[in-house]
Each structure stands twice: as structure tokens, then as C-alpha cells.
Amino acid sequence: NAGVMQNPRHLVRRRGQEARLRCSPMKGHSHVYWYRQLPEEGLKFMVYLQKENIIDESGMPKERFSAEFPKEGPSILRIQQVVRGDSAAYFCASSPPHGLLNGYTFGSGTRLTVV
Amino acid sequence: AQTVTQSQPEMSVQEAETVTLSCTYDTSENNYYLFWYKQPPSRQMILVIRQEAYKQQNATENRFSVNFQKAAKSFSLKISDSQLGDTAMYFCALGLIQGAQKLVFGQGTRLTINP
């Protein structure tokens, strides 16, 4: 039973390009969460999605960032027109309903570097 | 708003010693969970231990135990008989039972176990 799969593991983008980060949840998990970790900091919540629905996006920057979790396929975190400040590790986690009660599982993260 | 504070940026102990990592938090909610996560150099976020706020008994998992003081809003992690493999960043996190199931993380403590 594979865990949460994130790809790519490392992603380098030039300023102004688009970054697409993918997250395949654990089998049977219908809830996905995205977190961002800046260097030497803890993880910061970005967005919580269920299949085809955004439940809470209170941590998402207002511009350039979007997330989706379609009926089929992985969840995607999309960053348009990347800037140097977007350089960070982006983590995805998945869970069944009531994630904190039943347990989150984190992926290994995608490290985005903007040059 | 919820906050989590880890006041020890770095700690270092000898193998087999006992070490305690500090964490304080703030929330106006009464129902929540507290967690300790380990992040080794591989970047994987690994759940170490979980505490439900409504339980007075401190959680334990093998060599890992917590000292949960609800009135003081304190949640420290004790690692007994420390091993080289315990070397990692450790993050304290708070999760509210109601709502978006999101976690609020502290800034982390870098723990080094020396041979």
C-alpha cells in the first residue's frame, strides 16, 4: 500500500514560469492538504481539498496560487509566474474523513527552487 | 487564532541520554489534538506521538512520551535512551477537532544525538 506520492521531488523554475506540483493520496483517502515549508521554518497550512471541492483555502496566497483535486487523478498545486519568494518545500498530506482523528499521512515533499 | 511556540532552536545530547523538547501553544478552543512530528534529512514528516486534549493521561510510544499540561498550555516531548537515528528536526503541532482539520506547526527544534 503506497503512501502519499508527491512528484517531482525537486523542481527548478525560472522567474515568471509556472510550477505544477502533484500529489497522489494514499489509497482510500479522499481528503488532501497542502502545506508550505520555508527554509528553517515549520510547515504552514495552505489549502484543504476533498474530491472536486475546496474546503478551506485560508492559507493560500490570494494571487498566482491555485489547487485542485479532481474526481480522477492527483491533486495539483499550481503556482503561476513564480518569484524567488516561492522557493520552499511543498508538502501534501492525505487522510480519510476526520483527518486529525484518523491520522494524516504526509508525502516527502517537493522542493521548488526559483532561479 | 492558534499559535505554537518552540523556544529551543537547537539541542544536542549524547547517545543513550534523555532529552526533553519544549512546546507551548495558544488556543481558545477546548477540543484539540497535539502532535510531535519528526523530520529527518530525508524531509519525510513522521508522526511521533499524538495527544487528545480531553485525555489527562500523557501519551507514550516506546521511548517517546509527553508531558501535557493543559492549564499551562504546555506539551513537551521526552525521548529516553536516545539513539543516533533520533537526529532530526522535531515539530510540535496543534490541530482543532472542529473545522478544517488543519495543523498549526511550531518553528521546530533541531536535535542532534552525538555518538
Side-chain angles (χ1 to χ4, degrees):
Chain A
N1 186 15
V4 177
M5 304 301 292
Q6 288 190 250
N7 66 81
R9 185 145 171 82
H10 301 279
L11 181 63
V12 179
R13 285 288 177 265
R14 295 188 183 279
R15 281 180 293 170
Q17 290 185 321
E18 178 180 286
R20 280 182 179 247
L21 288 62
R22 292 175 182 75
C23 169
S24 296
M26 277 187 72
K27 189 175 180 180
H29 285 186
S30 55
H31 297 235
V32 164
Y33 315 80
W34 285 94
Y35 286 78
R36 177 165 65 175
Q37 184 180 29
L38 294 171
E40 304 303 316
E41 292 188 13
L43 280 67
K44 297 273 196 303
F45 171 79
M46 299 181 76
V47 63
Y48 164 37
L49 309 106
Q50 295 176 24
K51 289 276 187 183
E52 300 185 284
N53 280 308
I54 296 174
I55 305 302
D56 184 331
E57 55 182 349
S58 58
M60 287 279 270
K62 293 286 185 281
E63 297 177 349
R64 302 187 297 109
F65 284 71
S66 62
E68 63 176 10
F69 188 18
K71 188 176 179 182
E72 301 290 337
S75 176
I76 306 286
L77 179 68
R78 182 182 177 206
I79 311 172
Q80 295 178 290
Q81 299 176 314
V82 296
V83 301
R84 289 238 169 94
D86 297 332
S87 294
Y90 291 83
F91 287 88
C92 167
S94 73
S95 77
H98 307 294
L100 295 182
L101 175 64
N102 294 309
Y104 265 32
T105 302
F106 278 91
S108 296
T110 293
R111 182 174 296 284
L112 171 66
T113 302
V114 179
V115 297
Chain B
Q2 284 64 238
T3 60
V4 176
T5 302
Q6 293 177 249
S7 58
Q8 305 152 312
E10 294 187 25
M11 295 190 73
S12 178
V13 298
Q14 296 300 119
E15 193 176 6
E17 289 184 346
T18 294
V19 59
T20 299
L21 308 183
S22 301
C23 172
T24 58
Y25 62 93
D26 191 28
T27 180
S28 57
E29 300 290 330
N30 203 39
N31 295 319
Y32 51 89
Y33 296 107
L34 292 161
F35 304 83
W36 278 98
Y37 279 89
K38 170 184 176 181
Q39 187 179 44
S42 66
R43 213 168 61 209
Q44 178 77 41
M45 292 292 287
I46 302 165
L47 178 63
V48 174
I49 201 163
R50 183 181 82 172
Q51 175 80 42
E52 292 90 341
Y54 62 85
K55 289 187 178 177
Q56 291 188 332
Q57 186 173 5
N58 289 323
T60 63
E61 284 287 340
N62 301 314
R63 298 183 295 108
F64 299 87
S65 61
V66 298
N67 183 3
F68 173 46
Q69 301 289 328
K70 191 172 183 179
K73 295 183 178 174
S74 169
F75 184 62
S76 60
L77 174 70
K78 185 170 86 170
I79 306 174
S80 303
D81 186 26
S82 57
Q83 301 174 359
L84 297 180
D86 296 332
T87 293
M89 283 290 288
Y90 286 81
F91 293 97
C92 178
L94 165 70
L96 299 184
I97 292 176
Q98 298 299 324
Q101 304 288 296
K102 60 189 176 187
L103 292 170
V104 176
F105 284 86
Q107 310 94 308
T109 296
R110 184 179 303 280
L111 176 64
T112 302
I113 310 298
N114 298 307

